[in-house]
């Protein structure tokens, strides 16, 4: 797959993203899909159980040898942490309490953020809404790599390092591409997180803190689940900017792999996206898709025609409204 030569720039397109038009067409043909546009209250209990699981793990690792702290941080903590970031993704779409209780979702996102160790939830919500409204928008969509990333991470070894450092780039990219004034909720998110981290350190010590932070960094870097970062929008096939994944790791990621379905219907919780695909199968079955995120990571590194430049990018026109 891919082009015959390595890219030296993004794929600039001058058409609108396909998701809005496809959504209208699908709803006209399958209006029953509207019934799926409702909160997933089970998400609340799943998140609470995940937080309790990590609290238990913080306690259990506090007296372990360092090698076992590292082992469990990667084998268990990384999975929970990455899964929690995707729970926060669900919450950012108001899937826990519904659009009529938007602030309940924001507070719940701050709660879900706690076992990650670093404040993330509120800022993610602000930038993620831009990603949906202005997919590929130059200077707006911070899911698009910077020009430096595309230029520098162009060899197999450098692309491997880029995957390892994904958490770092996702953290600093908004500051480079589209910095926003700090909001009151972001300050509250920061203070709540710092307070939680101090309490964990006071109760159980540095190994628990290391387990928490290492699990987050490792889980978002070189990890099978991290294949979704590349699988979602990197252009392995020319002309296709969004790809779905239908493999088993959807069970840990709130069906984020159903990514064409998600961008078509961002107000439908992940739990119901397989039903969207089933109802509107004629729209999704023939789109490019993956069954292995590990293979996506491997192909990204080994295919010399694919790099961080392999993204569609748009020059936005008209008024741009951001959170």
């Amino acid at each position: 797959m891919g082009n015959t030569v390595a890219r030296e720039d993004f794929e600039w397109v001058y058409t609108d993203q396909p998701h809005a038009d496809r959504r209208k067409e699908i709803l006209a043909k399958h209006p029953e899909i509207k019934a799926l546009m409702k909160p997933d209250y089970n998400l609340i209990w799943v998140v609470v159980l995940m937080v309790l699981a990590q609290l238990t793990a913080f306690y259990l690792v506090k007296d372990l040898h360092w090698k076992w702290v590292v082992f469990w941080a990667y084998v268990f903590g990384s999975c929970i942490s990455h899964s929690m970031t995707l729970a926060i993704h669900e919450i950012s779409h108001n899937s826990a309490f519904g659009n009529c209780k938007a602030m309940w979702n924001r507070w719940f996102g701050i709660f879900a953020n706690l076992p990650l160790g670093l404040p993330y939830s509120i800022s993610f919500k602000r930038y993620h809404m831009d990603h949906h409204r202005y997919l590929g928008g130059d200077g707006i969509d911070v899911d698009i790599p910077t020009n430096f990333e595309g230029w520098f991470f162009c060899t197999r070894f450098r692309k491997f390092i880029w995957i390892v450092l994904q958490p770092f780039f996702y953290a600093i990219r908004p500051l480079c591409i589209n910095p926003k004034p700090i909001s009151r909720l972001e300050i509250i998110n920061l203070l709540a997180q710092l307070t939680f981290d101090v309490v964990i350190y006071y109760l159980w010590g540095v190994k628990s803190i290391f387990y928490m932070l290492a699990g987050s960094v490792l889980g978002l870097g070189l990890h099978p689940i991290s294949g979704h970062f590349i699988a979602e929008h990197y252009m392995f096939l020319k002309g296709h900017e969004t790809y779905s994944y239908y493999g088993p790791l959807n069970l840990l990621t709130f069906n984020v792999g159903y990514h064409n379905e998600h961008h078509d219907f961002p107000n439908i919780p992940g739990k119901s996206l397989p039903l969207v695909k089933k109802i509107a199968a004629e729209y999704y079955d023939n789109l490019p898709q993956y069954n292995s995120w590990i293979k996506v990571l491997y192909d990204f590194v080994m295919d010399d025609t694919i790099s961080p430049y392999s993204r569609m990018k748009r020059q936005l026109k008209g008024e741009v409204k951001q959170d």
Side-chain angles (χ1 to χ4, degrees):
M1 292 192 293
N3 303 320
T4 57
V5 295
R7 301 196 61 87
E8 296 182 354
D9 194 3
F10 297 101
E11 177 81 6
W12 287 89
V13 293
Y14 303 93
T15 57
D16 292 334
Q17 59 168 297
H19 299 289
D21 288 341
R22 188 161 60 220
R23 174 168 57 249
K24 292 177 184 177
E25 194 173 326
I26 290 174
L27 286 176
K29 190 172 181 179
H30 300 287
E32 65 271 27
I33 285 179
K34 293 179 182 178
L36 303 177
M37 299 176 183
K38 58 185 179 181
D40 174 16
Y41 295 117
N42 287 332
L43 176 64
I44 299 169
W45 307 113
V46 172
V47 167
V48 169
L49 288 174
M50 290 169 69
V51 171
L52 291 175
Q54 279 295 69
L55 285 172
T56 302
F58 297 160
Y59 173 77
L60 292 175
V61 302
K62 67 184 180 68
D63 295 321
L64 293 181
H65 189 281
W66 276 107
K67 67 179 180 182
W68 291 112
V69 177
V70 174
F71 174 82
W72 288 113
Y74 188 78
V75 171
F76 181 77
S78 63
C79 296
I80 296 290
S81 292
H82 200 139
S83 184
M84 189 63 88
T85 67
L86 294 166
I88 289 171
H89 166 254
E90 286 285 289
I91 296 164
S92 76
H93 286 281
N94 295 334
S95 292
F97 296 97
N99 292 322
C100 61
K101 295 181 178 179
M103 281 305 299
W104 287 39
N105 289 282
R106 302 293 78 74
W107 294 119
F108 192 56
I110 292 173
F111 168 75
N113 195 151
L114 294 177
L116 297 178
L118 298 169
Y120 163 81
S121 176
I122 299 300
S123 297
F124 173 80
K125 152 76 176 173
R126 298 179 73 193
Y127 284 103
H128 188 63
M129 295 304 102
D130 295 340
H131 170 65
H132 276 273
R133 292 190 195 109
Y134 309 111
L135 180 64
D138 184 35
I140 302 295
D141 184 0
V142 300
D143 193 60
I144 298 284
T146 60
N147 279 306
F148 170 78
E149 291 171 74
W151 168 77
F152 184 77
F153 295 99
C154 56
T155 68
R156 293 180 180 183
F157 176 72
R158 291 179 186 179
K159 287 190 289 182
F160 175 80
I161 296 301
W162 184 76
I163 289 173
V164 173
L165 297 178
Q166 283 267 39
F168 172 75
F169 287 112
Y170 269 94
I172 67 168
R173 199 182 289 152
L175 304 177
C176 300
I177 294 178
N178 186 17
K180 297 184 179 187
I182 296 176
S183 69
R184 181 179 66 91
L185 278 177
E186 284 176 307
I187 294 173
I188 293 172
N189 193 176
L190 172 63
L191 293 176
Q193 192 64 59
L194 289 175
T195 301
F196 178 82
D197 293 352
V198 168
V199 169
I200 293 299
Y201 177 76
Y202 177 78
L203 290 176
W204 297 320
V206 69
K207 290 181 180 177
S208 296
I209 291 291
F210 176 86
Y211 167 89
M212 173 166 54
L213 297 175
S216 296
V217 173
L218 294 170
L220 296 170
L222 187 62
H223 194 282
I225 297 177
S226 293
H228 82 85
F229 288 132
I230 293 170
E232 289 166 359
H233 297 293
Y234 283 81
M235 196 172 52
F236 281 77
L237 289 174
K238 187 174 176 63
H240 294 275
E241 66 181 315
T242 306
Y243 301 75
S244 287
Y245 156 84
Y246 300 124
L249 289 177
N250 277 308
L251 295 172
L252 298 178
T253 58
F254 302 90
N255 287 327
V256 76
Y258 288 76
H259 217 64
N260 268 301
E261 296 84 347
H262 172 60
H263 271 266
D264 289 352
F265 299 99
N267 55 342
I268 293 180
K271 182 182 79 171
S272 299
L273 293 178
L275 191 53
V276 171
K277 180 181 183 297
K278 182 178 179 181
I279 293 171
E282 68 274 24
Y283 288 92
Y284 297 114
D285 285 352
N286 294 322
L287 291 177
Q289 56 192 252
Y290 302 111
N291 290 301
S292 171
W293 277 334
I294 295 176
K295 187 175 188 303
V296 168
L297 292 171
Y298 177 84
D299 289 345
F300 179 82
V301 172
M302 300 305 292
D303 188 335
D304 295 332
T305 68
I306 304 296
S307 76
Y309 268 142
S310 300
R311 293 289 297 264
M312 285 191 182
K313 205 171 186 182
R314 293 177 171 83
Q315 189 71 51
L316 296 175
K317 301 176 182 178
E319 184 180 4
V320 175
K321 297 180 180 180
Q322 301 182 68
D323 283 355

